[in-house]
Amino acid sequence: MANFLLINGPNLNLLGEREPEIYGSTTLADIESALKLAAQGYGHLLDCFHSNAEHELVERIQQAAGQDLASIIINPAALGHTSIALRDALLGSGVPFIEVHISNIFSRETFRHHSYLSDVASGVIVGFGVRGYELALSAAMEYASQ
Ligand code: DQA
């Protein structure tokens, strides 16, 4: 049994209503419950956390350091493009993490092309819509069993 943590950053609480042509119609609650079920199906546990506030995300990642987590799956949203604090928190936690972006950030505005997390992530999943979360969980589970 392994423990995983799913973290979603600013504005992802609006999935389903926010720019549906980019992010689709699935809500964050749908994503979280599907991922929890998928993890449970393999005998694992997945905890979920969302915040619009950078400091709350940093605090949750700091807590994660002591929680025997196999991996964090994180969609940092816009903070991926701006936040050295999030990068430092993830590095400081010592927990491997997978970065997810629903949209293909490389086909969008140039300010979305850089992420402060990608070079220190175990892997990055970009542009597969909300299916990217399932792909990340699947990779995280495989990684945990190695
Ligand atoms: C996003 C991409 C970011 O550029 C954007 O700020 C988001 C969502 C994505 O999942 O595609 O809020 O992380």
Side-chain angles (χ1 to χ4, degrees), residues 8-12 15 18-19 22-23 74-81 99-105 108-109 111-114 125-127 129 133:
N8 278 284
N11 299 305
L12 294 171
L15 284 177
R18 169 194 183 202
E19 299 176 273
I22 298 176
Y23 300 114
I74 182 165
N75 184 342
L79 289 175
H81 313 306
E99 179 182 0
V100 174
H101 293 280
I102 297 166
S103 63
N104 182 353
I105 53 175
R108 301 181 63 191
E109 303 96 322
F111 60 80
R112 296 185 201 275
H113 295 184
H114 176 261
I125 296 174
V126 164
Y133 290 101

Side-chain angles (χ1 to χ4, degrees), residues 27 35 54 132 138:
T27 66
L35 233 62
E54 185 176 24
S138 167

